[in-house]
Amino acid sequence: MGILLAIQGAVSQGVLWGIMALGVYMTYRVLDIADLTVDGSFALGGSICATMITMGMNPWLSLVVAIAAGAAAGAVTGFLHTKCDIPAILAGILTQIGLYSVNLRIMGRSNTPLLKLDTMFKQLAALTGLPAAWVSLITGVVFCAGLITLLYCFFGTEIGSAIRATGSNEHMVRSLGANTNFTKVLGLMLGNGLIALSGALVTQSQGYADIKMGTGAIVIGLASIIIGEVLFSGKKRMAFGTKLFAVILGSVIYRIIVAMVLQMGLNTDDLKLLTAILVAVALAIPVAIEKQRQLQSYKASLGKGDDGHAGN
Amino acid sequence: MLEINHVYKTFNKGTVNEKKALTDLNLKLEDEDFVTVIGGNGAGKSTMLNMVAGVYPIDAGKIMIDGTDVSLMPEYKRAHFMGRVFQDPMMGTAAGMEIQENLSMALRRGKRRGLRWGITKQERERYYEELKRLGLGLEERMSSKVGLLSGGQRQALTLLMATLQKPRLLLLDEHTAALDPRTAKKVLDLTKEIVEEQKLTALMVTHNMKDAIQIGNRLIMMHDGHIIYDVKGEEKKNLQVADLLAKFEAASGEEFANDRMLLS
Ligand SMILES: Nc1ncnc2c1ncn2[C@@H]1O[C@H](COP(=O)(O)OP(=O)(O)O)[C@@H](O)[C@H]1O
Ligand SMILES: [Mg+2]
């Protein structure tokens, strides 16, 4: 029973954090930019949401404001990267560090609990009569389904196509008349908007915002993306919508893995190390396989003697 | 229609790697001029095309297209005027996107991009017909990723993309140099066909002197960042490869050292 509950909790966490992973996917995979704003924009969404709720404002409105603030954070990184020619990784780190102070300013302290306050999950639970755990899970699934649909449609539009093309060959995109500075900034805004939304949802679900809630979010996002890709690695052609779905699924699996290793007695403090190792290994494996393949084919050519290369 | 006036470009100014790529470059193209460009390695041919396209800012001078001063216009805005094909077949297409998606990006060159669908049904029908004339069977693979195509197929696709939306100016930078001879000929024939059919104004860099003489109505030779020889009409038609070599030696005071050119 404990396991089942733990898994249900993991799934609903996975879905809500999955939106963050979708945001990372926008920059890391679609734009091919390593954006480290993530940790800051996730906590930004949480800080704004918690502060607005403690001020007695509508928790749904706080989601909208969180998205806008996340998009603004993405725009700052985009400005530093495209207009000031700062490498993307550094631009993201600068925004992320800056956001740490911004988030502290917003909350006025490092942790904001929402104990007795009205979150959207509590509202929905009261409305439907369902237990809190289910409400959080169902809401998360509905949000993910809606977002995947919206993103799928958006990336089918002219602007959306230009953003995707920027990640594939930005030189070509400019030669075909699209402003790649604009598409990059837009992609970064979209990604960080999603990430802040996720931060706001997670805050309401767990009942508090913390200044450190975003620490390591980028690595969790990468882990989700990679797990999702491994799950579907058998498929040669994947529709864009399926790829997005795979990211959410990857996030859920990640949370289930985490829940299981915690059940098995792993210390929570060691979780980040475990995640980092997981991502590092997942990134290293394809490289190792490729090197091995290269070596094997070279060795095979040696075996064939002098005309081993004559096939060309 | 294109005017290049006293354009200078130096790369890495003030460093040990300083390289004067263009020095007092002047060129004026008339409508429907099809100009072949030859010159040794490092003569500034690619730089000239890149300056016209706005890849890098120029140091001095002026570039006008149809009477508009485009000297300070960013590359993506100048794309409104021109279609481009590059030496590297990887450069003109997006490998991660489908053939039809690449074409749909090209069809919107110089147009405002909004929230309309990135590709429509009517467009697809047009792409099918256009791809068919390439004779490479790509029309049956419109939803394949471009990354799966060979260099020659990608270059033919890039050429189609550059001219899908009729450009005021077509810039071709040794666009057949990376292809095997048979594919190169095919892409070159296609180039002639399209330029003629659409009555395009074009600048084509080539390292093949025979092609340079046979194709187009005008030929320019570059050396040390500017044009040292400019010939058109009958005079160009009657040129021999030996004449070009002699011209080069006379103007530069050097032996023609580019073996790629001697061979072709
Ligand atoms: N982006 C660049 N940065 C530095 N130097 C460059 C760059 N592009 C071209 N050059 C230099 O400018 C000169 C002209 O190059 P280029 O126009 O490519 O010659 P061509 O196409 O005629 O062979 C060469 O010496 C080249 O090294
Ligand atoms: Mg060149």
Side-chain angles (χ1 to χ4, degrees), chain A residues 263-310:
Chain A
Q263 286 266 327
M264 280 155 50
L266 185 93
N267 188 332
T268 335
D269 293 339
D270 296 332
L271 201 56
K272 289 215 159 68
L273 177 62
L274 184 76
T275 311
I277 292 174
L278 184 81
V279 171
V281 169
L283 290 176
I285 284 175
V287 180
I289 290 176
E290 186 48 44
K291 278 187 183 156
Q292 194 58 30
R293 190 175 293 152
Q294 178 72 39
L295 193 64
Q296 291 301 333
S297 90
Y298 178 72
K299 280 183 181 159
S301 82
L302 286 182
K304 278 193 217 140
D306 276 357
D307 38 49
H309 59 275

mmCIF file of all heavy atoms in Angstrom, chain A residues 263-310:
data_model
loop_
_atom_site.group_PDB
_atom_site.id
_atom_site.type_symbol
_atom_site.label_atom_id
_atom_site.label_comp_id
_atom_site.label_asym_id
_atom_site.label_seq_id
_atom_site.Cartn_x
_atom_site.Cartn_y
_atom_site.Cartn_z
ATOM 1 N N GLN A 263 12.517 4.592 -1.256
ATOM 2 C CA GLN A 263 11.903 3.495 -0.508
ATOM 3 C C GLN A 263 12.961 2.471 -0.100
ATOM 4 O O GLN A 263 12.896 1.867 0.953
ATOM 5 C CB GLN A 263 10.844 2.788 -1.365
ATOM 6 C CG GLN A 263 9.560 3.568 -1.549
ATOM 7 C CD GLN A 263 8.499 3.204 -0.517
ATOM 8 O OE1 GLN A 263 8.435 2.057 -0.084
ATOM 9 N NE2 GLN A 263 7.707 4.180 -0.113
ATOM 10 N N MET A 264 13.932 2.298 -1.006
ATOM 11 C CA MET A 264 14.978 1.316 -0.732
ATOM 12 C C MET A 264 15.981 1.850 0.282
ATOM 13 O O MET A 264 16.947 1.178 0.614
ATOM 14 C CB MET A 264 15.707 0.945 -2.030
ATOM 15 C CG MET A 264 14.924 -0.086 -2.867
ATOM 16 S SD MET A 264 15.303 -0.028 -4.628
ATOM 17 C CE MET A 264 17.070 -0.068 -4.622
ATOM 18 N N GLY A 265 15.766 3.072 0.749
ATOM 19 C CA GLY A 265 16.588 3.573 1.843
ATOM 20 C C GLY A 265 17.652 4.591 1.459
ATOM 21 O O GLY A 265 18.532 4.916 2.246
ATOM 22 N N LEU A 266 17.601 5.097 0.197
ATOM 23 C CA LEU A 266 18.589 6.103 -0.182
ATOM 24 C C LEU A 266 18.309 7.404 0.565
ATOM 25 O O LEU A 266 17.164 7.794 0.758
ATOM 26 C CB LEU A 266 18.526 6.370 -1.691
ATOM 27 C CG LEU A 266 19.600 7.329 -2.192
ATOM 28 C CD1 LEU A 266 20.813 6.575 -2.675
ATOM 29 C CD2 LEU A 266 19.060 8.218 -3.311
ATOM 30 N N ASN A 267 19.393 8.076 0.995
ATOM 31 C CA ASN A 267 19.263 9.355 1.675
ATOM 32 C C ASN A 267 18.852 10.438 0.671
ATOM 33 O O ASN A 267 19.402 10.511 -0.423
ATOM 34 C CB ASN A 267 20.631 9.690 2.290
ATOM 35 C CG ASN A 267 20.560 10.911 3.179
ATOM 36 O OD1 ASN A 267 19.722 11.794 2.973
ATOM 37 N ND2 ASN A 267 21.419 10.930 4.183
ATOM 38 N N THR A 268 17.866 11.271 1.042
ATOM 39 C CA THR A 268 17.390 12.332 0.145
ATOM 40 C C THR A 268 18.537 13.245 -0.300
ATOM 41 O O THR A 268 18.536 13.755 -1.414
ATOM 42 C CB THR A 268 16.335 13.218 0.837
ATOM 43 O OG1 THR A 268 15.722 12.449 1.862
ATOM 44 C CG2 THR A 268 15.307 13.719 -0.143
ATOM 45 N N ASP A 269 19.508 13.422 0.615
ATOM 46 C CA ASP A 269 20.630 14.314 0.297
ATOM 47 C C ASP A 269 21.445 13.798 -0.885
ATOM 48 O O ASP A 269 22.103 14.570 -1.573
ATOM 49 C CB ASP A 269 21.549 14.458 1.510
ATOM 50 C CG ASP A 269 20.850 15.186 2.645
ATOM 51 O OD1 ASP A 269 19.868 15.903 2.360
ATOM 52 O OD2 ASP A 269 21.275 15.037 3.800
ATOM 53 N N ASP A 270 21.410 12.491 -1.103
ATOM 54 C CA ASP A 270 22.230 11.909 -2.177
ATOM 55 C C ASP A 270 21.513 11.904 -3.529
ATOM 56 O O ASP A 270 22.083 11.508 -4.540
ATOM 57 C CB ASP A 270 22.615 10.466 -1.827
ATOM 58 C CG ASP A 270 23.488 10.424 -0.588
ATOM 59 O OD1 ASP A 270 24.203 11.421 -0.354
ATOM 60 O OD2 ASP A 270 23.450 9.421 0.138
ATOM 61 N N LEU A 271 20.265 12.379 -3.505
ATOM 62 C CA LEU A 271 19.441 12.291 -4.709
ATOM 63 C C LEU A 271 20.026 13.073 -5.884
ATOM 64 O O LEU A 271 20.050 12.604 -7.021
ATOM 65 C CB LEU A 271 18.038 12.825 -4.379
ATOM 66 C CG LEU A 271 16.932 12.383 -5.306
ATOM 67 C CD1 LEU A 271 16.875 10.865 -5.356
ATOM 68 C CD2 LEU A 271 15.607 12.940 -4.810
ATOM 69 N N LYS A 272 20.542 14.266 -5.613
ATOM 70 C CA LYS A 272 21.066 15.107 -6.693
ATOM 71 C C LYS A 272 22.274 14.455 -7.339
ATOM 72 O O LYS A 272 22.437 14.489 -8.559
ATOM 73 C CB LYS A 272 21.409 16.504 -6.165
ATOM 74 C CG LYS A 272 20.149 17.308 -5.825
ATOM 75 C CD LYS A 272 20.319 18.782 -6.130
ATOM 76 C CE LYS A 272 18.982 19.485 -6.291
ATOM 77 N NZ LYS A 272 18.195 19.574 -5.042
ATOM 78 N N LEU A 273 23.115 13.846 -6.479
ATOM 79 C CA LEU A 273 24.285 13.142 -7.012
ATOM 80 C C LEU A 273 23.830 12.012 -7.929
ATOM 81 O O LEU A 273 24.332 11.852 -9.046
ATOM 82 C CB LEU A 273 25.139 12.589 -5.871
ATOM 83 C CG LEU A 273 26.360 11.768 -6.309
ATOM 84 C CD1 LEU A 273 27.326 12.626 -7.114
ATOM 85 C CD2 LEU A 273 27.070 11.163 -5.097
ATOM 86 N N LEU A 274 22.838 11.274 -7.462
ATOM 87 C CA LEU A 274 22.320 10.158 -8.249
ATOM 88 C C LEU A 274 21.795 10.655 -9.602
ATOM 89 O O LEU A 274 22.097 10.081 -10.654
ATOM 90 C CB LEU A 274 21.197 9.469 -7.474
ATOM 91 C CG LEU A 274 20.632 8.210 -8.136
ATOM 92 C CD1 LEU A 274 21.597 7.053 -7.959
ATOM 93 C CD2 LEU A 274 19.270 7.861 -7.559
ATOM 94 N N THR A 275 21.032 11.758 -9.571
ATOM 95 C CA THR A 275 20.471 12.310 -10.813
ATOM 96 C C THR A 275 21.585 12.756 -11.756
ATOM 97 O O THR A 275 21.545 12.491 -12.959
ATOM 98 C CB THR A 275 19.552 13.508 -10.502
ATOM 99 O OG1 THR A 275 18.655 13.122 -9.472
ATOM 100 C CG2 THR A 275 18.774 13.936 -11.721
ATOM 101 N N ALA A 276 22.573 13.432 -11.192
ATOM 102 C CA ALA A 276 23.689 13.915 -12.019
ATOM 103 C C ALA A 276 24.393 12.746 -12.689
ATOM 104 O O ALA A 276 24.725 12.790 -13.876
ATOM 105 C CB ALA A 276 24.657 14.720 -11.165
ATOM 106 N N ILE A 277 24.618 11.675 -11.901
ATOM 107 C CA ILE A 277 25.297 10.496 -12.469
ATOM 108 C C ILE A 277 24.437 9.883 -13.566
ATOM 109 O O ILE A 277 24.924 9.534 -14.646
ATOM 110 C CB ILE A 277 25.594 9.458 -11.361
ATOM 111 C CG1 ILE A 277 26.662 10.023 -10.410
ATOM 112 C CG2 ILE A 277 26.066 8.141 -11.956
ATOM 113 C CD1 ILE A 277 26.936 9.161 -9.190
ATOM 114 N N LEU A 278 23.136 9.805 -13.300
ATOM 115 C CA LEU A 278 22.200 9.240 -14.282
ATOM 116 C C LEU A 278 22.305 9.989 -15.619
ATOM 117 O O LEU A 278 22.443 9.389 -16.687
ATOM 118 C CB LEU A 278 20.770 9.335 -13.742
ATOM 119 C CG LEU A 278 19.657 8.723 -14.581
ATOM 120 C CD1 LEU A 278 19.607 7.223 -14.328
ATOM 121 C CD2 LEU A 278 18.305 9.344 -14.247
ATOM 122 N N VAL A 279 22.259 11.323 -15.552
ATOM 123 C CA VAL A 279 22.315 12.127 -16.778
ATOM 124 C C VAL A 279 23.675 11.990 -17.453
ATOM 125 O O VAL A 279 23.773 11.813 -18.670
ATOM 126 C CB VAL A 279 22.005 13.611 -16.476
ATOM 127 C CG1 VAL A 279 22.270 14.473 -17.695
ATOM 128 C CG2 VAL A 279 20.564 13.755 -16.031
ATOM 129 N N ALA A 280 24.745 12.054 -16.653
ATOM 130 C CA ALA A 280 26.091 11.942 -17.230
ATOM 131 C C ALA A 280 26.255 10.614 -17.957
ATOM 132 O O ALA A 280 26.753 10.568 -19.088
ATOM 133 C CB ALA A 280 27.145 12.088 -16.128
ATOM 134 N N VAL A 281 25.798 9.538 -17.323
ATOM 135 C CA VAL A 281 25.915 8.213 -17.942
ATOM 136 C C VAL A 281 25.092 8.161 -19.227
ATOM 137 O O VAL A 281 25.563 7.713 -20.276
ATOM 138 C CB VAL A 281 25.469 7.104 -16.957
ATOM 139 C CG1 VAL A 281 25.334 5.772 -17.672
ATOM 140 C CG2 VAL A 281 26.475 6.985 -15.821
ATOM 141 N N ALA A 282 23.856 8.683 -19.149
ATOM 142 C CA ALA A 282 22.980 8.648 -20.326
ATOM 143 C C ALA A 282 23.569 9.448 -21.486
ATOM 144 O O ALA A 282 23.442 9.064 -22.643
ATOM 145 C CB ALA A 282 21.605 9.184 -19.969
ATOM 146 N N LEU A 283 24.260 10.555 -21.170
ATOM 147 C CA LEU A 283 24.867 11.343 -22.246
ATOM 148 C C LEU A 283 26.128 10.675 -22.776
ATOM 149 O O LEU A 283 26.475 10.816 -23.953
ATOM 150 C CB LEU A 283 25.213 12.757 -21.743
ATOM 151 C CG LEU A 283 24.026 13.675 -21.446
ATOM 152 C CD1 LEU A 283 24.509 14.989 -20.863
ATOM 153 C CD2 LEU A 283 23.219 13.935 -22.715
ATOM 154 N N ALA A 284 26.812 9.933 -21.887
ATOM 155 C CA ALA A 284 28.093 9.337 -22.285
ATOM 156 C C ALA A 284 27.905 8.061 -23.101
ATOM 157 O O ALA A 284 28.722 7.754 -23.962
ATOM 158 C CB ALA A 284 28.934 9.048 -21.042
ATOM 159 N N ILE A 285 26.821 7.324 -22.825
ATOM 160 C CA ILE A 285 26.642 6.023 -23.479
ATOM 161 C C ILE A 285 26.652 6.096 -25.018
ATOM 162 O O ILE A 285 27.401 5.362 -25.665
ATOM 163 C CB ILE A 285 25.366 5.305 -22.961
ATOM 164 C CG1 ILE A 285 25.654 4.746 -21.566
ATOM 165 C CG2 ILE A 285 24.923 4.192 -23.899
ATOM 166 C CD1 ILE A 285 24.444 4.110 -20.890
ATOM 167 N N PRO A 286 25.855 7.003 -25.627
ATOM 168 C CA PRO A 286 25.869 7.044 -27.099
ATOM 169 C C PRO A 286 27.253 7.344 -27.667
ATOM 170 O O PRO A 286 27.646 6.787 -28.689
ATOM 171 C CB PRO A 286 24.902 8.190 -27.439
ATOM 172 C CG PRO A 286 24.091 8.400 -26.214
ATOM 173 C CD PRO A 286 24.928 7.989 -25.069
ATOM 174 N N VAL A 287 28.017 8.211 -26.974
ATOM 175 C CA VAL A 287 29.368 8.533 -27.431
ATOM 176 C C VAL A 287 30.253 7.304 -27.374
ATOM 177 O O VAL A 287 30.989 6.987 -28.318
ATOM 178 C CB VAL A 287 29.979 9.661 -26.552
ATOM 179 C CG1 VAL A 287 31.386 9.993 -27.018
ATOM 180 C CG2 VAL A 287 29.084 10.889 -26.580
ATOM 181 N N ALA A 288 30.145 6.570 -26.256
ATOM 182 C CA ALA A 288 30.961 5.371 -26.082
ATOM 183 C C ALA A 288 30.623 4.334 -27.148
ATOM 184 O O ALA A 288 31.512 3.710 -27.727
ATOM 185 C CB ALA A 288 30.739 4.789 -24.690
ATOM 186 N N ILE A 289 29.320 4.182 -27.419
ATOM 187 C CA ILE A 289 28.889 3.207 -28.427
ATOM 188 C C ILE A 289 29.464 3.579 -29.792
ATOM 189 O O ILE A 289 29.989 2.743 -30.524
ATOM 190 C CB ILE A 289 27.341 3.142 -28.501
ATOM 191 C CG1 ILE A 289 26.797 2.491 -27.229
ATOM 192 C CG2 ILE A 289 26.884 2.374 -29.746
ATOM 193 C CD1 ILE A 289 25.282 2.459 -27.164
ATOM 194 N N GLU A 290 29.410 4.858 -30.128
ATOM 195 C CA GLU A 290 29.910 5.325 -31.425
ATOM 196 C C GLU A 290 31.417 5.075 -31.560
ATOM 197 O O GLU A 290 31.889 4.591 -32.579
ATOM 198 C CB GLU A 290 29.587 6.818 -31.590
ATOM 199 C CG GLU A 290 29.927 7.405 -32.935
ATOM 200 C CD GLU A 290 29.436 6.555 -34.110
ATOM 201 O OE1 GLU A 290 28.292 6.055 -34.095
ATOM 202 O OE2 GLU A 290 30.243 6.370 -35.046
ATOM 203 N N LYS A 291 32.168 5.382 -30.481
ATOM 204 C CA LYS A 291 33.617 5.173 -30.507
ATOM 205 C C LYS A 291 33.937 3.694 -30.702
ATOM 206 O O LYS A 291 34.830 3.327 -31.452
ATOM 207 C CB LYS A 291 34.253 5.667 -29.199
ATOM 208 C CG LYS A 291 34.491 7.162 -29.186
ATOM 209 C CD LYS A 291 35.275 7.557 -27.953
ATOM 210 C CE LYS A 291 35.459 9.062 -27.894
ATOM 211 N NZ LYS A 291 35.697 9.544 -26.519
ATOM 212 N N GLN A 292 33.193 2.857 -29.973
ATOM 213 C CA GLN A 292 33.394 1.426 -30.054
ATOM 214 C C GLN A 292 33.133 0.931 -31.474
ATOM 215 O O GLN A 292 33.906 0.157 -32.034
ATOM 216 C CB GLN A 292 32.439 0.734 -29.065
ATOM 217 C CG GLN A 292 32.772 -0.716 -28.793
ATOM 218 C CD GLN A 292 34.181 -0.875 -28.237
ATOM 219 O OE1 GLN A 292 34.679 0.014 -27.563
ATOM 220 N NE2 GLN A 292 34.833 -1.983 -28.566
ATOM 221 N N ARG A 293 32.054 1.442 -32.077
ATOM 222 C CA ARG A 293 31.678 1.038 -33.426
ATOM 223 C C ARG A 293 32.785 1.410 -34.414
ATOM 224 O O ARG A 293 33.189 0.628 -35.270
ATOM 225 C CB ARG A 293 30.363 1.706 -33.813
ATOM 226 C CG ARG A 293 29.755 1.181 -35.091
ATOM 227 C CD ARG A 293 28.408 1.809 -35.343
ATOM 228 N NE ARG A 293 27.410 1.411 -34.368
ATOM 229 C CZ ARG A 293 26.351 2.149 -34.013
ATOM 230 N NH1 ARG A 293 26.179 3.323 -34.544
ATOM 231 N NH2 ARG A 293 25.486 1.709 -33.140
ATOM 232 N N GLN A 294 33.293 2.642 -34.260
ATOM 233 C CA GLN A 294 34.364 3.132 -35.120
ATOM 234 C C GLN A 294 35.582 2.219 -35.026
ATOM 235 O O GLN A 294 36.162 1.805 -36.027
ATOM 236 C CB GLN A 294 34.722 4.559 -34.684
ATOM 237 C CG GLN A 294 35.863 5.200 -35.451
ATOM 238 C CD GLN A 294 35.435 5.566 -36.854
ATOM 239 O OE1 GLN A 294 34.319 6.022 -37.064
ATOM 240 N NE2 GLN A 294 36.303 5.357 -37.814
ATOM 241 N N LEU A 295 35.937 1.884 -33.770
ATOM 242 C CA LEU A 295 37.100 1.046 -33.526
ATOM 243 C C LEU A 295 36.901 -0.331 -34.146
ATOM 244 O O LEU A 295 37.803 -0.867 -34.800
ATOM 245 C CB LEU A 295 37.300 0.919 -32.007
ATOM 246 C CG LEU A 295 38.637 0.346 -31.552
ATOM 247 C CD1 LEU A 295 39.762 1.278 -31.959
ATOM 248 C CD2 LEU A 295 38.635 0.148 -30.036
ATOM 249 N N GLN A 296 35.706 -0.898 -33.957
ATOM 250 C CA GLN A 296 35.410 -2.223 -34.502
ATOM 251 C C GLN A 296 35.537 -2.224 -36.018
ATOM 252 O O GLN A 296 36.121 -3.127 -36.601
ATOM 253 C CB GLN A 296 33.988 -2.665 -34.125
ATOM 254 C CG GLN A 296 33.792 -2.974 -32.645
ATOM 255 C CD GLN A 296 34.714 -4.074 -32.164
ATOM 256 O OE1 GLN A 296 35.130 -4.921 -32.942
ATOM 257 N NE2 GLN A 296 35.067 -4.048 -30.886
ATOM 258 N N SER A 297 34.998 -1.198 -36.653
ATOM 259 C CA SER A 297 34.999 -1.203 -38.110
ATOM 260 C C SER A 297 36.422 -0.998 -38.622
ATOM 261 O O SER A 297 36.813 -1.521 -39.654
ATOM 262 C CB SER A 297 34.046 -0.147 -38.657
ATOM 263 O OG SER A 297 34.703 1.075 -38.840
ATOM 264 N N TYR A 298 37.245 -0.247 -37.839
ATOM 265 C CA TYR A 298 38.649 -0.088 -38.243
ATOM 266 C C TYR A 298 39.372 -1.421 -38.135
ATOM 267 O O TYR A 298 40.109 -1.827 -39.031
ATOM 268 C CB TYR A 298 39.333 0.968 -37.365
ATOM 269 C CG TYR A 298 40.794 1.138 -37.699
ATOM 270 C CD1 TYR A 298 41.170 1.760 -38.893
ATOM 271 C CD2 TYR A 298 41.781 0.662 -36.854
ATOM 272 C CE1 TYR A 298 42.506 1.897 -39.227
ATOM 273 C CE2 TYR A 298 43.114 0.804 -37.173
ATOM 274 C CZ TYR A 298 43.478 1.425 -38.353
ATOM 275 O OH TYR A 298 44.792 1.566 -38.679
ATOM 276 N N LYS A 299 39.114 -2.116 -37.007
ATOM 277 C CA LYS A 299 39.766 -3.409 -36.809
ATOM 278 C C LYS A 299 39.352 -4.390 -37.903
ATOM 279 O O LYS A 299 40.168 -5.148 -38.413
ATOM 280 C CB LYS A 299 39.395 -3.978 -35.435
ATOM 281 C CG LYS A 299 40.217 -3.367 -34.316
ATOM 282 C CD LYS A 299 39.871 -4.012 -32.983
ATOM 283 C CE LYS A 299 40.667 -3.388 -31.859
ATOM 284 N NZ LYS A 299 40.018 -3.618 -30.553
ATOM 285 N N ALA A 300 38.070 -4.369 -38.262
ATOM 286 C CA ALA A 300 37.569 -5.251 -39.313
ATOM 287 C C ALA A 300 38.272 -4.948 -40.630
ATOM 288 O O ALA A 300 38.612 -5.847 -41.392
ATOM 289 C CB ALA A 300 36.065 -5.084 -39.465
ATOM 290 N N SER A 301 38.539 -3.654 -40.902
ATOM 291 C CA SER A 301 39.183 -3.284 -42.164
ATOM 292 C C SER A 301 40.620 -3.774 -42.185
ATOM 293 O O SER A 301 41.160 -4.135 -43.219
ATOM 294 C CB SER A 301 39.121 -1.773 -42.364
ATOM 295 O OG SER A 301 40.156 -1.151 -41.643
ATOM 296 N N LEU A 302 41.275 -3.773 -41.015
ATOM 297 C CA LEU A 302 42.648 -4.279 -40.939
ATOM 298 C C LEU A 302 42.678 -5.751 -41.320
ATOM 299 O O LEU A 302 43.544 -6.200 -42.042
ATOM 300 C CB LEU A 302 43.197 -4.127 -39.519
ATOM 301 C CG LEU A 302 43.578 -2.715 -39.076
ATOM 302 C CD1 LEU A 302 44.153 -2.753 -37.669
ATOM 303 C CD2 LEU A 302 44.573 -2.114 -40.046
ATOM 304 N N GLY A 303 41.677 -6.472 -40.838
ATOM 305 C CA GLY A 303 41.604 -7.902 -41.095
ATOM 306 C C GLY A 303 41.514 -8.216 -42.572
ATOM 307 O O GLY A 303 42.029 -9.220 -43.044
ATOM 308 N N LYS A 304 40.913 -7.294 -43.341
ATOM 309 C CA LYS A 304 40.698 -7.549 -44.766
ATOM 310 C C LYS A 304 41.936 -7.287 -45.600
ATOM 311 O O LYS A 304 41.924 -7.460 -46.809
ATOM 312 C CB LYS A 304 39.554 -6.670 -45.288
ATOM 313 C CG LYS A 304 38.182 -7.256 -44.980
ATOM 314 C CD LYS A 304 37.126 -6.517 -45.782
ATOM 315 C CE LYS A 304 35.862 -6.351 -44.977
ATOM 316 N NZ LYS A 304 35.265 -5.040 -45.169
ATOM 317 N N GLY A 305 42.997 -6.789 -44.958
ATOM 318 C CA GLY A 305 44.222 -6.525 -45.714
ATOM 319 C C GLY A 305 44.177 -5.193 -46.423
ATOM 320 O O GLY A 305 43.415 -4.299 -46.077
ATOM 321 N N ASP A 306 44.995 -5.059 -47.490
ATOM 322 C CA ASP A 306 45.238 -3.770 -48.121
ATOM 323 C C ASP A 306 44.011 -3.109 -48.728
ATOM 324 O O ASP A 306 43.882 -1.905 -48.706
ATOM 325 C CB ASP A 306 46.300 -3.919 -49.214
ATOM 326 C CG ASP A 306 47.684 -3.842 -48.597
ATOM 327 O OD1 ASP A 306 47.757 -3.610 -47.365
ATOM 328 O OD2 ASP A 306 48.653 -4.019 -49.320
ATOM 329 N N ASP A 307 43.141 -3.915 -49.351
ATOM 330 C CA ASP A 307 42.020 -3.265 -50.008
ATOM 331 C C ASP A 307 40.772 -3.209 -49.131
ATOM 332 O O ASP A 307 39.658 -3.274 -49.599
ATOM 333 C CB ASP A 307 41.701 -3.907 -51.363
ATOM 334 C CG ASP A 307 41.862 -5.416 -51.321
ATOM 335 O OD1 ASP A 307 41.319 -6.046 -50.394
ATOM 336 O OD2 ASP A 307 42.547 -5.936 -52.195
ATOM 337 N N GLY A 308 41.002 -3.083 -47.832
ATOM 338 C CA GLY A 308 39.883 -2.978 -46.902
ATOM 339 C C GLY A 308 39.046 -1.742 -47.150
ATOM 340 O O GLY A 308 37.885 -1.681 -46.803
ATOM 341 N N HIS A 309 39.638 -0.743 -47.808
ATOM 342 C CA HIS A 309 38.901 0.508 -48.013
ATOM 343 C C HIS A 309 38.342 0.600 -49.429
ATOM 344 O O HIS A 309 37.801 1.597 -49.817
ATOM 345 C CB HIS A 309 39.826 1.696 -47.763
ATOM 346 C CG HIS A 309 41.019 1.691 -48.669
ATOM 347 N ND1 HIS A 309 42.152 0.988 -48.365
ATOM 348 C CD2 HIS A 309 41.222 2.287 -49.858
ATOM 349 C CE1 HIS A 309 43.018 1.152 -49.356
ATOM 350 N NE2 HIS A 309 42.488 1.926 -50.259
ATOM 351 N N ALA A 310 38.504 -0.470 -50.200
ATOM 352 C CA ALA A 310 38.150 -0.370 -51.612
ATOM 353 C C ALA A 310 36.649 -0.245 -51.851
ATOM 354 O O ALA A 310 36.231 0.079 -52.945
ATOM 355 C CB ALA A 310 38.673 -1.583 -52.384
#
